[in-house]
Amino acid sequence: MTNDKPNNDNHIKDIRQTTHVSDQGIRFAEFELAGDEQDVSLPDKQSVMLNQEQEPMNPVASTKNSLIVKPQQPLDMNWDEDFRYVTKEQQFVQKARELAWHVEGATPFVAFKSYWPIYDQMASDQFKWYFYWREEVRSGRYPDTDLSYLFVYFYELIHGVGWSDPLQGYELMEQAWMAYRKRYSKLDTYLREWLYDFMIVHGLDMPIRETYQRFPRVLSSELKEKEWKRRFSLQPVELTWELLLDLLDYDVEKSRFYQESGRKDLEQYAPKVIALVDSYWAKIKGQRFIDRFQPRPRQVKRHLFRSAVYDHGLYGRNVVLTVVSLSEHAPLRSYITGLVRLTENKLRELRGFKGRLRGADVVEPEVEEVITRYLKKEIQEQLEAQRIQAIPEVQIDTGKLRRLQRESDQVRDMLLTEEAGQQQAEVINSQPAPESAPSVGASSGHSEDTGTSTNLDVPSKGRSSRKSAAKKPDVFQAVMDFDADPYELVSLEERDQLDEANVIVRSVNTAESESEAANGRSMEPSGNADDRLIQSMGSLEEHSSEAGGTHVIDPHVVDIEALIGMPTVGEQLWQWEVEDEEWQELVERLNPTHLEVLHALKAGPNRSELQQIAEKAGSMPALLLDEINEAAMDTIGDLLIDGEAIADDYIDMLETLKSV
């Protein structure tokens, strides 16, 4: 926009002055000389000089005819403000302050992705969504959104937009980080550093809430040393195996004991030994590691709000900090290394592993004795626990006991019913028979008509009795099948045991019938039937015990999921252990070929191996890389592969990717 404002206050007749103002606020002055100077021939230079020599100088006339214009009033301009260069960061801050409390109504989400996101890069619908979403976040609600919107919100908080107290601004930044860090793990890289810078410029003394199992590769040295000091100040000292590795002067993971059998012991006991020795020195001499090996502080220059859209005119570009470097202090590193070497030597001795490491002589004899007693006690307790755990646990399956009891009751009821029928048949046979009875009685063991001539349908003592006994197990089996619990899964082994039990009961009944038919004895009272039942059940229990112990649950359970996941012939499987939901979703999206590509690129670009993988999969390297990046953008919100190499920010995430 141009603002033309004529200035005619100079009272000069033939001159007109005009001021122009551009869109950036820059002013330009324009002067117009009026008069009849067009088509006027200029005099010859020599003639002018001759006239000047002949005519005397008239100061009044020369003043009137002079073309030099001297404005009577100075121009109304501020050169520092009107001609100042405005950076992109300064423009963002100015607009952010103008829109500090701007709110939009509910509007649908619109995607927004930019490397340096600012307001000018937003379309109208993106602009509306951002200010609706920002009001939701300020109210404690965190709807799903893109990463670029989050960065704009953090840029505002860095420059003091949206809060009145620095502590409030720190809490707003931390709350938004915690709400979205699971979806966007990339936030951890920036927010740790920005929150630390926020604490520095505002003089806040906030505790570090982030605990590290292993320092990220991109973490600044100032934050690392601050975390070291916090961990060594705790009682007891809290060191993980990954953090302990950064304090050692040798690579313990390349030790033969660590690689063959001592990995679990070293990772478990080495950090505990460090805490034990620290407590011992605090109790005996009143000096802990942080007091005994206190290095001299040094000053370092820190760049504020690195990688953010930040106006350095607000808090400055750099700040000088005083740092105590514990992790780089040589005496502390030497003593910690000696303790770990001594721990490995003691573990080798207790585990019967040959060979000892040198360099453990820096540890005092009394400290060595304390470590030896501690490790002996721990290893002995561990061995005892393993011995107790190896003892098989006997568990009684109450469901099988109830089923066996129910089946025994059914067998008893059937035997009692059979006894009642046979007693009734004997009473009928004892009555006087007609004249033809002798012939019938003589052939009662061979004639089938006699067994079927009675209206009571009572079996006789001959072959018909054996036929009846042969049919009884079928009825018994039917009763068992219908009375079984339909919701209880019976294994093939249990079915075989039940079938064997049926054979035993069938043989008992058959032998009983044949014995009665041969001896001509009548049925005993119900008490003898109970005895026979007890004998049959006893043989059943002995048989089931010999067959594999029906009463004991088999501890070897088949893992169905493991069977489903077994690889086919010639297929290579990959294992990638990740914790974040976004990375888990990415792992599910990638197929084995993609994982093989990532594994090949872990050590750097490898064009030849990448080409081999693509040919084996019937594809092209560029196509496979594009598929991986497309899945990464949909899940973690960033490109995983830069060119033909893994992006620097995600190299650490591929450490757990391995073939199985």
Side-chain angles (χ1 to χ4, degrees):
M1 173 179 117
T2 303
N3 183 13
D4 297 336
K5 180 179 179 181
N7 185 4
N8 299 324
D9 296 336
N10 51 16
H11 304 288
I12 299 177
K13 179 179 179 181
D14 297 330
I15 298 176
R16 186 178 63 179
Q17 174 185 344
T18 306
T19 302
H20 299 274
V21 182
S22 67
D23 295 338
Q24 291 77 18
I26 302 176
R27 299 183 180 182
F28 300 92
E30 179 180 326
F31 299 93
E32 296 182 4
L33 303 178
D36 300 332
E37 60 273 7
Q38 295 182 357
D39 300 332
V40 177
S41 60
L42 298 176
D44 190 11
K45 184 177 182 180
Q46 295 180 354
S47 61
V48 171
M49 294 177 63
L50 291 175
N51 291 333
Q52 290 179 353
E53 293 176 355
Q54 295 175 0
E55 297 180 358
M57 293 292 295
N58 188 354
V60 178
S62 62
T63 303
K64 293 182 179 180
N65 297 328
S66 176
L67 296 178
I68 299 176
V69 178
K70 297 181 180 181
Q72 296 179 356
Q73 297 179 356
L75 297 176
D76 186 13
M77 294 183 182
N78 188 344
W79 294 92
D80 294 335
E81 294 293 334
D82 297 338
F83 295 94
R84 181 173 60 90
Y85 173 72
V86 181
T87 63
K88 180 182 69 174
E89 291 80 5
Q90 293 171 342
Q91 294 177 9
F92 172 80
V93 175
Q94 182 179 359
K95 196 165 186 179
R97 290 172 179 170
E98 294 175 358
L99 300 171
W101 306 109
H102 181 75
V103 179
E104 291 284 347
T107 183
F109 166 76
V110 182
F112 177 47
K113 290 181 174 61
S114 176
Y115 192 76
W116 295 95
I118 54 177
Y119 302 116
D120 296 339
Q121 297 175 354
M122 296 181 184
S124 59
D125 50 356
Q126 294 171 339
F127 185 86
K128 293 180 180 179
W129 164 257
Y130 172 74
F131 287 101
Y132 163 73
W133 168 82
R134 187 183 70 173
E135 186 64 22
E136 291 291 303
V137 171
R138 289 178 177 178
S139 302
R141 297 180 293 271
Y142 302 95
D144 195 12
T145 190
D146 275 344
L147 185 62
S148 297
Y149 290 119
L150 281 166
F151 280 132
V152 175
Y153 178 65
F154 290 133
Y155 298 159
E156 292 179 351
L157 295 175
I158 289 174
H159 292 92
V161 176
W163 52 266
S164 56
D165 182 74
L167 184 59
Q168 179 189 9
Y170 182 92
E171 292 176 350
L172 288 174
M173 191 179 300
E174 187 181 43
Q175 289 170 3
W177 175 31
M178 293 300 167
Y180 291 100
R181 68 178 303 192
K182 290 185 178 180
R183 175 171 175 80
Y184 300 110
S185 59
K186 196 174 183 179
L187 287 175
D188 294 347
T189 304
Y190 301 100
L191 265 299
R192 291 190 185 108
E193 304 292 341
W194 292 350
L195 284 173
Y196 184 57
D197 293 336
F198 198 91
M199 291 166 52
I200 294 173
V201 298
H202 294 289
L204 301 177
D205 187 14
M206 303 296 294
I208 297 180
R209 301 182 183 178
E210 181 71 14
T211 57
Y212 305 93
Q213 293 295 323
R214 186 165 191 165
F215 287 140
R217 185 175 53 85
V218 296
L219 193 66
S220 63
S221 60
E222 296 85 6
L223 276 181
K224 287 182 180 179
E225 297 302 334
K226 193 174 181 67
E227 178 68 9
W228 279 124
K229 185 176 180 180
R230 185 187 72 85
R231 287 182 175 270
F232 274 105
S233 300
L234 295 175
Q235 180 62 32
V237 173
E238 289 186 4
L239 289 179
T240 62
W241 174 254
E242 288 77 12
L243 294 179
L244 184 59
L245 293 177
D246 295 336
L247 291 175
L248 302 181
D249 293 332
Y250 81 108
D251 192 353
V252 65
E253 292 185 344
K254 292 183 179 179
S255 169
R256 189 165 60 91
F257 174 70
Y258 178 87
Q259 293 180 352
E260 292 184 8
S261 61
R263 175 177 180 177
K264 185 177 180 181
D265 287 339
L266 278 173
E267 292 182 357
Q268 179 180 358
Y269 294 116
K272 294 181 179 180
V273 167
I274 303 300
L276 174 67
V277 176
D278 179 77
S279 301
Y280 173 79
W281 283 119
K283 182 178 180 181
I284 300 300
K285 296 186 178 181
Q287 283 187 337
R288 304 183 60 192
F289 284 141
I290 197 172
D291 302 322
R292 183 180 179 186
F293 301 100
Q294 182 77 32
R296 293 181 179 180
R298 58 187 179 91
Q299 290 185 341
V300 296
K301 183 182 290 185
R302 178 178 175 84
H303 190 84
L304 291 176
F305 299 107
R306 188 183 297 272
S307 302
V309 176
Y310 164 63
D311 180 13
H312 58 82
L314 187 62
Y315 306 117
R317 190 184 300 272
N318 300 309
V319 62
V320 178
L321 300 177
T322 301
V323 177
V324 177
S325 182
L326 289 174
S327 62
E328 299 178 1
H329 191 46
L332 175 62
R333 294 180 62 91
S334 176
Y335 192 76
I336 296 293
T337 303
L339 289 176
V340 174
R341 289 180 184 272
L342 178 61
T343 302
E344 182 173 349
N345 286 339
K346 296 301 178 182
L347 289 173
R348 288 184 176 206
E349 180 181 349
L350 294 172
R351 295 298 188 183
F353 194 88
K354 296 181 180 180
R356 299 293 181 267
L357 299 178
R358 291 179 295 180
D361 51 356
V362 298
V363 182
E364 298 81 356
E366 59 271 20
V367 175
E368 180 178 356
E369 184 179 355
V370 171
I371 295 175
T372 302
R373 289 201 305 266
Y374 167 72
L375 291 178
K376 281 185 177 180
K377 177 177 176 295
E378 290 291 324
I379 297 300
Q380 289 176 359
E381 291 179 355
Q382 183 181 1
L383 293 176
E384 181 65 19
Q386 292 176 357
R387 187 188 66 81
I388 295 175
Q389 188 177 5
I391 299 175
E393 181 181 359
V394 178
Q395 298 180 355
I396 304 301
D397 191 345
T398 57
K400 289 184 178 180
L401 288 178
R402 288 193 297 270
R403 186 172 65 252
L404 289 174
Q405 182 179 4
R406 184 170 61 250
E407 293 170 358
S408 64
D409 293 340
Q410 295 171 356
V411 172
R412 182 190 60 198
D413 295 340
M414 293 179 62
L415 292 176
L416 293 177
T417 304
E418 182 180 356
E419 285 184 4
Q422 291 178 356
Q423 289 177 358
Q424 188 174 6
E426 290 179 357
V427 172
I428 296 175
N429 292 333
S430 63
Q431 295 178 358
E435 295 179 356
S436 60
S439 61
V440 175
S443 62
S444 60
H446 305 281
S447 176
E448 296 181 0
D449 295 337
T450 306
T452 58
S453 60
T454 59
N455 296 330
L456 296 176
D457 196 18
V458 178
S460 60
K461 295 183 181 181
R463 188 175 57 183
S464 59
S465 177
R466 289 193 296 270
K467 290 176 64 177
S468 176
K471 292 181 180 180
K472 288 172 186 174
D474 297 335
V475 179
F476 168 70
Q477 179 67 31
V479 174
M480 286 181 61
D481 291 341
F482 282 109
D483 288 348
D485 189 357
Y487 299 100
E488 183 176 359
L489 297 177
V490 181
S491 63
L492 295 176
E493 183 181 357
E494 295 172 357
R495 291 182 181 275
D496 294 339
Q497 294 175 359
L498 292 178
D499 293 337
E500 293 174 358
N502 296 337
V503 172
I504 294 173
V505 174
R506 185 184 300 112
S507 62
V508 171
N509 293 337
T510 304
E512 223 173 20
S513 301
E514 291 177 352
S515 176
E516 292 173 359
N519 299 329
R521 295 180 303 178
S522 61
M523 294 295 292
E524 298 285 335
S526 60
N528 295 334
D530 291 339
D531 295 337
R532 291 193 301 274
L533 174 62
I534 292 174
Q535 294 176 359
S536 63
M537 291 306 298
S539 61
L540 174 61
E541 292 176 356
E542 293 176 358
H543 184 76
S544 73
S545 300
E546 295 174 357
T550 309
H551 299 263
V552 181
I553 296 179
D554 188 4
H556 303 286
V557 182
V558 179
D559 190 357
I560 302 301
E561 296 181 359
L563 293 177
I564 296 176
M566 291 181 64
T568 58
V569 177
E571 181 181 359
Q572 186 176 10
L573 291 184
W574 298 90
Q575 181 179 359
W576 193 359
E577 297 179 359
V578 291
E579 297 180 357
D580 297 337
E581 295 181 359
E582 296 81 7
W583 285 91
Q584 293 177 0
E585 184 179 355
L586 174 61
V587 174
E588 295 176 358
R589 288 277 300 271
L590 300 179
N591 57 36
T593 303
H594 297 151
L595 297 177
E596 187 176 0
V597 170
L598 293 177
H599 187 269
L601 300 180
K602 285 173 60 176
N606 194 340
R607 182 180 294 272
S608 60
E609 187 173 356
L610 187 61
Q611 183 66 33
Q612 293 176 2
I613 297 172
E615 292 178 356
K616 184 173 62 175
S619 180
M620 295 183 294
L623 182 59
L624 294 176
L625 298 180
D626 291 341
E627 293 173 353
I628 295 174
N629 280 333
E630 182 180 357
M633 286 297 298
D634 295 340
T635 54
I636 65 176
D638 198 2
L639 297 178
L640 185 57
I641 300 177
D642 185 7
E644 292 186 358
I646 305 298
D648 295 339
D649 295 342
Y650 304 115
I651 293 179
D652 294 340
M653 296 298 298
L654 297 177
E655 291 182 356
T656 58
L657 176 60
K658 58 185 178 180
S659 62
V660 294

